[in-house]
Amino acid sequence: MKITQEKLPASQIGLEIEIPAETSKNTYEKVVKEIAKTANIPGFRKGKIPRPILLQRLGSERIKAAVLEELIQDSLQEAIKQESINVLGNYQLKSDFEDLVNTYNPGESFTFKAAVDVPPEVNLGQYQGLQVKAEEILYKPEDVDKLIDERREKLATLVPVENRGAQMNDLAIIDFEGRTIGENGEEEGDILEGVEGEEYQVELSEGKFIAGFVEGIVGMNIDETKKLPLTFPEDYGQKDLAGQKVMFTITLKDLKEKELPELDDDFAQEVSEFETMTALRESLEKQYQEKALNDTQQNIQSAIVDELLKQNSIELPNTMIEEEVQNILLQTANQLQSYGMDVSQFFTREMVERMRETAKPEAIKNINTKLIIAKIAEQESISVDDEEVKNKCTEILEGLKNRNVDEDKLEKLVAYDLIAEKTLDWLQEKTQVELLPEGSLKPDEEDEENNPEETTESN
């Protein structure tokens, strides 16, 4: 068997394989005998069908196709073994199969072309002496206050309000309905679908409803009815309401205010394992300070990775890309399941195809990052010992009790993560980093979508 190799784009190797006449003849005879044993032709017992009848009834093209399938499969496996090719995935037939069937003559040699994906070559560009910019995340004491306030809100007691109108931060119970506003400025038509409610609880705080809704309730007294002419935003989630002018009729049924607990040691004991407010605050301050440092570190390393991707280009085989895309989809499915969603309802065929296309850029970036970091680690002799890997795996498994885990796969992932962590730390020492204020490297807020809370909670 004669084999000719050719290097192709996208990390493929092209193979031109010439099948000797003797191999062609032997395979043809073997396949015909196997077909004769299983073929079911009326008037003949299986295995006793004369060859001319078999060829006439089944057709020579069908038999030649079966022979070629076996020849191509067997010869490719032999060629890969003979040439010591590290193959990823299955082969791709480059010759037209129909043409092969038409030109193939049993007992004669024939040639076909195929291609196989192989691991990509990683020829490193610059990776030392890089210059990057990253956002520095600073500790903000107000974050601690905000978290304490949130926990305080959860423990708030709702107290009925008497002898005053609604105020911001109250909880209002309302009946409401909305109708279209006509050209004359008057409401008209039936109640709009989705724009009505009875005994509806409204927390009177900014930013949760369309502009003017909460503000219109402020000042109302219990049993008071009020009309509010409002306009839904142009980017409202319910498209038939986007930009619509609507007259809301609102009746305040009940009103309650929040009575917040005192920020004392009793509060600390109720919301945490700490005995005093001082201890609780100190713990939260430490957590947020560590988080700020970790976030800054993550920003620096992300910037280094982005710069590495600019400096190093790798031709990736489709097999690797498709495998990583599949991993991303599986991670998405697992996350959705953890939220209690029915994955079978969400992952329709059309949705999966769209998700596969959307996931490709992320998959390509993931693969390039892994390959470049692994190559740098190899070149700089950065490694981890078995004990480190074992200890980390044990730690992870303790948190995954009662769950089936492929421990061999986990070990490989942990080994890579530990090496990547060490490699990125090493790269950071060799990189000139310019720290910038938080938010300075992010895109303009105008390009971002509006807060989804503003498009849902008034329905």
Side-chain angles (χ1 to χ4, degrees):
M1 187 170 69
K2 183 179 178 182
I3 304 166
T4 305
Q5 285 194 42
E6 176 188 9
K7 189 174 181 180
L8 299 176
S11 193
Q12 283 194 326
I13 290 179
L15 297 172
E16 183 177 89
I17 301 175
E18 182 181 336
I19 306 294
E22 185 177 358
T23 303
S24 171
K25 179 182 178 181
N26 292 340
T27 303
Y28 181 83
E29 293 297 326
K30 173 189 169 188
V31 170
V32 170
K33 288 179 181 177
E34 288 175 350
I35 292 174
K37 290 179 182 178
T38 58
N40 188 9
I41 296 178
F44 297 93
R45 289 184 297 167
K46 288 183 179 180
K48 301 295 182 179
I49 305 170
R51 179 171 291 192
I53 299 296
L54 182 69
L55 297 176
Q56 179 186 17
R57 295 291 180 89
L58 297 183
S60 61
E61 301 298 310
R62 178 179 170 185
I63 292 176
K64 287 199 294 181
V67 174
L68 285 173
E69 285 179 359
E70 184 160 330
L71 275 171
I72 290 170
Q73 186 71 39
D74 291 348
S75 59
L76 269 169
Q77 290 179 356
E78 185 179 341
I80 289 167
K81 184 177 180 180
Q82 181 178 314
E83 301 293 309
S84 300
I85 301 172
N86 185 9
V87 174
L88 301 174
N90 205 353
Y91 70 89
Q92 298 172 13
L93 185 65
K94 293 296 184 181
S95 299
D96 185 271
F97 188 74
E98 189 174 337
D99 288 345
L100 291 176
V101 173
N102 292 334
T103 58
Y104 172 65
N105 291 313
E108 295 181 6
S109 64
F110 83 99
T111 302
F112 72 93
K113 293 182 178 181
V116 291
D117 288 348
V118 294
E121 293 182 9
V122 183
N123 299 311
L124 289 174
Q126 182 184 1
Y127 62 88
Q128 296 192 50
L130 300 176
Q131 296 182 356
V132 302
K133 296 179 180 180
E135 292 184 6
E136 181 180 18
I137 309 301
L138 299 176
Y139 161 66
K140 304 180 187 67
E142 57 266 28
D143 287 342
V144 174
D145 294 330
K146 182 180 177 182
L147 181 60
I148 290 175
D149 286 343
E150 287 175 357
R151 294 185 180 181
R152 196 180 180 199
E153 286 276 348
K154 289 182 179 179
L155 295 178
T157 303
L158 294 176
V159 179
V161 170
E162 297 178 357
N163 303 321
R164 73 164 173 83
Q167 297 177 358
M168 293 299 286
N169 298 320
D170 284 344
L171 183 70
I173 313 298
I174 64 170
D175 291 346
F176 73 96
E177 60 186 36
R179 288 182 169 86
T180 304
I181 296 178
E183 294 182 2
N184 60 359
E186 298 294 328
E187 60 182 318
E188 59 182 28
D190 297 329
I191 297 172
L192 293 168
E193 183 179 354
V195 190
E196 61 178 322
E198 292 184 357
E199 301 290 323
Y200 189 80
Q201 292 191 22
V202 181
E203 185 177 343
L204 302 183
S205 56
E206 294 181 2
K208 288 199 172 185
F209 302 89
I210 65 172
F213 190 87
V214 166
E215 293 79 358
I217 297 173
V218 171
M220 290 180 65
N221 293 304
I222 294 174
D223 294 330
E224 180 182 348
T225 298
K226 188 176 185 179
K227 290 186 180 292
L228 292 176
L230 302 175
T231 302
F232 282 90
E234 293 292 340
D235 58 353
Y236 191 68
Q238 193 173 328
K239 292 184 179 179
D240 60 329
L241 293 176
Q244 183 83 270
K245 293 182 178 180
V246 173
M247 182 68 77
F248 283 89
T249 301
I250 302 173
T251 300
L252 182 60
K253 307 291 288 185
D254 199 2
L255 193 63
K256 297 178 181 179
E257 64 178 341
K258 294 179 181 178
E259 190 175 272
L260 300 175
E262 293 293 328
L263 291 178
D264 52 19
D265 293 346
D266 289 339
F267 172 80
Q269 293 166 19
E270 187 164 358
V271 300
S272 71
E273 72 276 18
F274 297 101
E275 293 294 322
T276 66
M277 272 301 299
T278 300
L280 171 60
R281 185 173 287 277
E282 287 176 351
S283 174
L284 292 175
E285 288 173 351
K286 182 180 178 181
Q287 289 177 37
Y288 275 96
Q289 287 167 356
E290 290 176 351
K291 183 178 185 302
L293 291 173
N294 291 336
D295 288 347
T296 300
Q297 177 74 356
Q298 187 174 356
N299 287 346
I300 292 171
Q301 295 194 345
S302 293
I304 292 172
V305 167
D306 289 341
E307 190 62 27
L308 286 173
L309 293 173
K310 293 178 186 176
Q311 300 289 340
N312 298 273
S313 179
I314 306 172
E315 287 192 358
L316 298 179
N318 192 57
T319 300
M320 291 184 77
I321 296 173
E322 290 301 316
E323 183 178 346
E324 182 63 19
V325 165
Q326 189 67 20
N327 288 337
I328 292 172
L329 294 188
L330 285 174
Q331 290 171 7
T332 303
N334 290 336
Q335 189 173 25
L336 291 174
Q337 279 186 323
S338 70
Y339 295 154
M341 293 182 63
D342 185 352
V343 177
S344 63
Q345 294 288 330
F346 182 80
F347 278 80
T348 63
R349 179 174 296 180
E350 294 78 10
M351 177 61 75
V352 169
E353 287 304 314
R354 286 199 297 271
M355 291 176 67
R356 293 184 73 84
E357 285 304 311
T358 303
K360 275 189 177 180
E362 181 185 350
I364 291 170
K365 181 178 180 180
N366 290 349
I367 299 167
N368 275 299
T369 301
K370 290 177 183 177
L371 291 172
I372 292 168
I373 288 178
K375 188 67 175 180
I376 293 172
E378 177 189 339
Q379 194 146 311
E380 299 297 334
S381 301
I382 300 171
S383 61
V384 291
D385 57 47
D386 293 341
E387 193 66 25
E388 287 180 86
V389 176
K390 182 180 178 181
N391 290 341
K392 188 64 177 179
C393 286
T394 300
E395 178 186 332
I396 293 172
L397 288 170
E398 285 178 356
L400 297 175
K401 289 180 179 178
N402 302 320
R403 291 179 61 180
N404 293 325
V405 177
D406 186 334
E407 295 192 20
D408 290 337
K409 188 175 181 180
L410 175 64
E411 189 173 309
K412 291 177 182 177
L413 290 172
V414 167
Y416 168 77
D417 286 343
L418 291 174
I419 289 175
E421 185 179 335
K422 284 190 175 184
T423 304
L424 285 169
D425 288 342
W426 181 88
L427 283 166
Q428 187 171 335
E429 294 176 1
K430 310 292 182 182
T431 299
Q432 182 179 334
V433 180
E434 180 183 355
L435 291 176
L436 301 175
E438 183 178 354
S440 57
L441 295 179
K442 293 180 179 178
D444 293 338
E445 291 184 3
E446 295 178 2
D447 297 332
E448 298 178 1
E449 294 183 357
N450 289 338
N451 190 331
E453 286 186 344
E454 296 180 356
T455 66
T456 57
E457 292 198 36
S458 62
N459 290 342

